[in-house]
Amino acid sequence: MRLFEKIVQGNHLLASFNLIKEKWYNEHRESYQYTIPGIDGLTLEQFERDLSANLEACRKFLLDPDAEFYPQILTRVPKREAGKFREIYLMTMRDKVVQKAIAVALENRLDRHFYPNLYAFRRGKYYGSMQAGRKVRDFLKANPNRTWVWKTDISDYFDSIRPDTLLKKFAEYLPDEPELMALLKKFVNHRRSDRGIFHSPTLGLPTGSPLSPICANLYLIELDRQMFRSGANYLRYIDDILVVSTDLDHIHKVRQQVESKLGEYRLKVSAKKTFLYQPGESFDYLGYRFADLKVHVGESSMKTFRQWIQEILPRERYRDLPHGNPEERRASLKKILIDFNTGKLIENASNALNQHQIPWIRSFPIVDSDDSFKEMDRYVKERIRMVIMGVASKKNRELLPEAWFRELGYKSLTNAYYRITRRRSLAPYYGWRRYFGNNFLEAYDPKKKQRGIARKWRVFKEKVSFVRKAIRGEI
């Protein structure tokens, strides 16, 4: 079946809408996160109320060769650095569903052409930030104190993509899809609105579109091919590039090749984000910090975590709670922890981090130390103390002691780290169910076996008991 025929099917459009909904709908709280609508003013919740009619409108748009996407509205979101903003383009729900449907179909077709050194926006257990970090860690451990690292970032990557070059690459891999190529041409010429002024861009792709990630992957496929065939230890995650080697001359050679290839596409590396690290020197990559042959949570990720905690626990949120005596302070602490656990503060901290706010928290197994998570727990507790007392002070630790947090049910990220890593380490034991079934303790009777089996059976039961407790989170 041709891709265009698949895209216009109703079930494919419905599946694409559900993928968008997963990001903004909280199943536990049965509510939608707030989103800014596009130029038509239709939100995700309003779109779903009349879902059948809206999906049919998406299908008619795909079948109409003269239809155009609605103009996108430019909005600026502040970055972590003071005074800096990221430009995000808001699109209508109809256009978002249509572009998501195109992106899902293209992922299945183009992924087979991508190379293993590309880790961003790809499906499968072998890709993603965690796998990229694991590959870097393994190389560092295999070559201790001998690894040179060159890290760089493409300056204004999405804003520097040339639409004509991108369309030529799509035409190379989609020679039998004229209707789909027409849709892609509409996408790259998508009109935009900046402070009420409409214009058609001649350079760059809109960030925030479901199609932008796969376009970013395809645009530099020739660079990935060149690095893969040369055997270089090269990794690319969108516009973040990392090269590791034990030979400094090889690093310089690969660097020249990368910069030369980027120059062909009129792209430049960012001088502020380009570094050459000596053997044994610590560095950050994709939210991780690599130091002393171990992986830690990176400083940028820690800043994101602190910012998120400040947003869900502002100083004035619980200013009306009494705290004059120990009983009142204890009651106030219990109230806040209940809000964490029941979801009134976006969901409890560990669950919310695991889902949307900070995606790297899913990568617990790759982190080799609990120091970062202990620091996170300390920051959360200090923030709660400040919210209750109204001021940051060392005396808050005496007025709200550590024991109260344990007694009142504080969910520690450090405990979650050990629980998840322990489950991962016990994964080989899950295979026992394949041989013995769910009742594998009763499926094997050691009394019927010869002498010496009883001791092995006792060890086996201890392992099974340990696995069951680990699954239930009791250890």
Side-chain angles (χ1 to χ4, degrees):
M1 180 186 296
R2 295 170 55 240
L3 288 183
F4 183 76
E5 296 175 357
K6 179 181 179 180
I7 292 172
V8 298
Q9 290 181 352
N11 57 353
H12 183 78
L13 291 171
L14 177 60
S16 301
F17 168 78
N18 289 331
L19 290 174
I20 297 173
K21 179 181 175 181
E22 285 179 5
K23 184 177 180 180
W24 302 105
Y25 181 73
N26 190 319
E27 294 183 356
H28 301 287
R29 299 176 62 187
E30 296 183 352
S31 62
Y32 293 87
Q33 297 184 35
Y34 175 73
T35 56
I36 304 176
I39 199 170
D40 63 347
L42 196 63
T43 64
L44 176 63
E45 186 176 4
Q46 295 169 343
F47 188 91
E48 190 179 22
R49 290 174 186 171
D50 196 6
L51 185 59
S52 299
N54 288 322
L55 291 181
E56 182 61 25
C58 295
R59 186 172 182 274
K60 290 181 179 179
F61 170 83
L62 290 167
L63 295 174
D64 186 359
D66 298 326
E68 296 289 341
F69 288 112
Y70 288 112
Q72 296 174 319
I73 303 176
L74 176 64
T75 183
R76 292 172 174 83
V77 180
K79 293 184 177 180
R80 299 190 193 101
E81 298 86 354
K84 293 186 178 182
F85 296 86
R86 177 179 289 107
E87 294 185 348
I88 301 293
Y89 289 90
L90 305 176
M91 63 182 64
T92 64
M93 277 303 303
R94 186 205 69 177
D95 294 349
K96 187 175 294 186
V97 172
V98 168
Q99 294 180 20
K100 186 66 175 180
I102 298 173
V104 171
L106 287 175
E107 285 177 4
N108 299 329
R109 170 70 68 87
L110 297 179
D111 190 75
R112 71 189 73 166
H113 300 288
F114 294 144
Y115 290 84
N117 48 25
L118 175 63
Y119 286 86
F121 304 119
R122 300 186 64 181
R123 297 181 181 180
K125 61 181 181 180
Y126 300 107
Y127 305 106
S129 60
M130 184 176 70
Q131 294 300 331
R134 180 174 284 123
K135 183 175 181 180
V136 176
R137 180 195 63 182
D138 294 344
F139 190 89
L140 293 174
K141 289 186 176 181
N143 304 276
N145 299 322
R146 295 192 301 117
T147 303
W148 293 84
V149 179
W150 180 64
K151 186 183 74 169
T152 189
D153 183 276
I154 302 175
S155 180
D156 298 327
Y157 179 45
F158 283 93
D159 293 335
S160 303
I161 292 178
R162 305 182 67 82
D164 53 344
T165 304
L166 179 63
L167 289 175
K168 289 179 181 178
K169 293 186 178 297
F170 273 118
E172 179 182 352
Y173 293 97
L174 303 172
D176 57 340
E177 298 285 348
E179 299 90 349
L180 185 53
M181 287 300 303
L183 289 170
L184 292 171
K185 187 175 182 180
K186 293 179 183 179
F187 166 71
V188 298
N189 296 322
H190 200 160
R191 287 197 306 158
R192 305 172 189 176
S193 172
D194 185 2
R195 298 184 180 92
I197 300 175
F198 294 90
H199 67 280
S200 296
T202 58
L203 186 67
L205 292 180
T207 53
S209 167
L211 267 173
S212 295
I214 196 167
C215 293
N217 281 354
L218 181 66
Y219 195 69
L220 290 179
I221 190 172
E222 293 183 5
L223 173 62
D224 301 335
R225 181 192 299 121
Q226 180 180 350
M227 293 294 103
F228 179 76
R229 292 179 176 176
S230 67
N233 291 301
Y234 155 98
L235 295 83
R236 180 167 75 91
Y237 196 94
I238 316 176
D239 56 350
D240 291 325
I241 296 176
L242 186 80
V243 180
V244 293
S245 177
T246 57
D247 186 0
L248 180 59
D249 293 335
H250 180 68
I251 288 282
H252 289 312
K253 180 180 178 181
V254 173
R255 176 177 184 172
Q256 293 175 359
Q257 293 175 349
V258 170
E259 293 179 346
S260 174
K261 198 66 178 179
L262 293 178
E264 295 179 10
Y265 293 99
R266 301 183 185 179
L267 300 173
K268 297 181 180 179
V269 298
S270 174
K272 296 181 180 180
K273 298 181 180 180
T274 301
F275 304 95
L276 178 62
Y277 298 99
Q278 298 180 1
E281 189 176 357
S282 60
F283 63 94
D284 285 21
Y285 184 62
L286 299 181
Y288 299 108
R289 184 165 185 81
F290 300 87
D292 301 326
L293 301 181
K294 292 185 178 181
V295 183
H296 309 270
V297 178
E299 182 59 32
S300 61
S301 299
M302 292 295 289
K303 289 181 180 179
T304 304
F305 174 83
R306 297 188 191 101
Q307 181 182 0
W308 178 75
I309 291 297
Q310 292 172 8
E311 289 176 358
I312 67 173
L313 279 174
R315 186 189 298 266
E316 62 276 5
R317 182 183 288 273
Y318 293 97
R319 60 183 178 184
D320 296 331
L321 293 179
H323 59 272
N325 55 61
E327 290 78 11
E328 292 177 344
R329 291 195 295 271
R330 186 182 176 91
S332 300
L333 177 61
K334 184 177 182 179
K335 165 65 175 173
I336 294 178
L337 293 181
I338 288 176
D339 288 349
F340 262 78
N341 297 335
T342 57
K344 291 185 178 180
L345 300 180
I346 305 181
E347 272 195 69
N348 88 46
S350 57
N351 286 344
L353 290 173
N354 193 32
Q355 291 179 5
H356 298 300
Q357 276 70 25
I358 305 179
W360 51 261
I361 210 71
R362 301 174 182 173
S363 307
F364 272 121
I366 195 179
V367 179
D368 297 320
S369 173
D370 62 355
D371 294 341
S372 301
F373 302 106
K374 288 181 179 178
E375 177 62 28
M376 292 179 187
D377 286 328
R378 282 195 293 268
Y379 185 82
V380 172
K381 293 174 183 177
E382 289 300 321
R383 186 72 186 181
I384 292 176
R385 291 184 175 110
M386 187 201 68
V387 169
I388 294 176
M389 303 305 300
V391 62
S393 174
K394 294 182 179 180
K395 294 183 179 180
N396 292 346
R397 299 181 183 179
E398 301 176 2
L399 299 175
L400 293 163
E402 183 74 20
W404 287 7
F405 284 87
R406 293 194 298 267
E407 294 171 4
L408 298 178
Y410 171 71
K411 293 184 178 296
S412 170
L413 287 172
T414 307
N415 291 342
Y417 164 72
Y418 281 113
R419 185 165 61 250
I420 293 175
T421 53
R422 187 170 294 167
R423 290 181 184 179
R424 291 293 183 93
S425 65
L426 294 173
Y429 295 126
Y430 297 162
W432 293 344
R433 295 181 182 272
R434 190 188 322 162
Y435 303 105
F436 299 104
N438 291 329
N439 297 323
F440 49 92
L441 281 177
E442 293 78 10
Y444 178 70
D445 186 1
K447 296 181 180 179
K448 297 181 181 179
K449 298 296 179 179
Q450 56 186 358
R451 294 178 58 182
I453 295 295
R455 182 181 59 83
K456 296 180 180 179
W457 173 244
R458 185 171 60 255
V459 174
F460 176 77
K461 287 198 298 183
E462 291 175 357
K463 291 181 178 179
V464 171
S465 176
F466 184 78
V467 171
R468 286 179 168 176
K469 290 181 181 179
I471 293 174
R472 293 195 297 267
E474 296 177 1
I475 57 177

